[in-house]
Amino acid sequence: MLKNKKWLLLVLLSFVALATGISSYGSSNKIKADEKTYQIGTDVTYPPFEFANNQNKYVGIDIDLMKEIANEEGFKVNIKPIGFNAAVQSLESGQIDGMIAGTTITPARKQKMDFSDPYFKTGVVMAVSPKSGIKDLKDLKGKRVAIKTGTAAAAYAQKLQSKYGFKTVTFDDSDNMYSDVVNKNSVACFEDAPVMQYAIRTGVKLSIATKPAQGGAYGFAVKKGQNQELLKKFNEGLKKLKANGQYNKIVSKYLGKKAIKQQKEQKDDNSIFGLLKQNWGALMGGLQQTLLLTVVAILCATIFGVLLGLLGVMPNKLANGVSTIIIYIFRGLPLLVLALFIYSGVPNLTGEKIPAFIAGIITLTLNEGAYTAAFVKGGIKAVDSGQMEAAKSLGLPYWKSMRRVILPQGLRIMIPSFINQFIITLKDTSILSIIGILELTQTGKIIIARNFEGFKIWAIVALMYLIIITLLTWLSNWFEKRMNA
């Protein structure tokens, strides 16, 4: 009994060590980030304000403006391409210091954010497919309209929804919203006027059906009551750029006639091989991040799951209860909700930043670990109970019996489940794009925002996932044969 208690203590200490290790890694990153540089969140699928160019470098009016102001005012910025929706949540939870993402200044947002002086005038327009027959808002009755999550244009559309009797469907990025209209799933979309005009001029097959409404302006945002020094520096830098003409140069670089003409005349090779050649570096970077997430998550989830599973079969009711509750909670939560809770919810409560990569690893560890624990428990319980009784009758203590008699037999039963869980973990990394991790899926979104080649890019990304999963399956099957030999 005394030895059982020692094992229970060892297992609990292992949990604490794992949690402490992850937490301390996040804290050390926080210190490094806070010492030198402001963390600035942005969208990366919102040309001409922020997007990846054909060298896969982040450019655009917002990006250039932020860098020039930082240079002018003597501070550094780390631009984090996490998407509009994730940037709003990250700002609210304190994960980033500021946000520049074509953010319209509205009374509702002012309740949660402090804005800089306006830096670009905008308004909301409705865009439709040229042959849709939709000419104004009255034609939308009973039809489906695409909007982008959390945007001022989406809020404007929802305000008109009951008056004109249309339904809405939401997307996380502009490209998928445009594609939904081009593919005739929706009849129209609502977007900020300069962004929609730029998209149409550079090749999106839509036309604008309404005049700009609900006129407003974009502003740089910080969390309400925080980072006022950064806000002051932004305003001062913006004034200087407007006075010395640099602001006009930046805007003309992306919206001037010459820039639009160059964008139209740009002839990229958009065949499958051409796209692979152009985006090889970005795709390999995304793949590398996906594999890193998978390997670290599998390691952490396996340790967590095995320890949790062993707790569940110990001859101790408290240990069994703890195991059952943890498995129940983390198997019951959708992975997406868990990722947002850890990345945005927890920092909002504690005030401590959690880097996106660490938040992703914790998310996968808890979710995949709970599933692993369930089949570890099942594998051990599948071994004939007479095996344990026979071991005890020979004078072997509980943990020695478990280690030498039960686990070797149970492990063979668990191997197919382990293989499945490894593959599921690899696929689940794509969900972490919601918190801005630049893994393979997020990389695909960013490339498509520039070239609008959705079918070909998603085909390439799907093929890359399939190749990696096939290799992982072969490796797992080889390992299974070796174990059963």
Side-chain angles (χ1 to χ4, degrees), residues 128-173:
V128 300
S129 177
K131 296 181 181 178
S132 66
I134 304 292
K135 295 180 180 176
D136 60 32
L137 295 169
K138 292 177 183 175
D139 297 329
L140 296 179
K141 188 172 183 179
K143 305 283 195 315
R144 190 173 105 152
V145 169
I147 55 177
K148 183 176 169 183
T149 310
T151 60
Y156 174 70
Q158 287 165 338
K159 195 167 71 176
L160 300 176
Q161 192 173 356
S162 58
K163 182 178 178 182
Y164 292 100
F166 58 85
K167 302 171 187 174
T168 59
V169 57
T170 57
F171 294 89
D172 279 337
D173 55 74

Side-chain angles (χ1 to χ4, degrees), residues 52-118:
N53 64 15
N54 52 10
Q55 282 87 43
N56 286 303
K57 292 181 179 175
Y58 298 114
V59 296
I61 295 172
D62 284 356
I63 305 288
D64 288 9
L65 203 55
M66 192 72 238
K67 288 181 177 176
E68 281 296 325
I69 288 173
N71 187 46
E72 191 73 37
E73 294 300 306
F75 63 91
K76 294 180 180 177
V77 291
N78 178 23
I79 304 287
K80 303 184 76 171
I82 53 180
F84 185 83
N85 198 23
V88 170
Q89 293 184 56
S90 298
L91 187 72
E92 191 178 344
S93 62
Q95 292 277 54
I96 55 176
D97 301 308
M99 169 180 172
I100 186 161
T103 314
T104 306
I105 303 169
T106 65
R109 286 178 177 159
K110 280 184 174 179
Q111 293 178 16
K112 295 284 185 180
M113 304 172 179
D114 286 327
F115 282 96
S116 69
D117 295 335

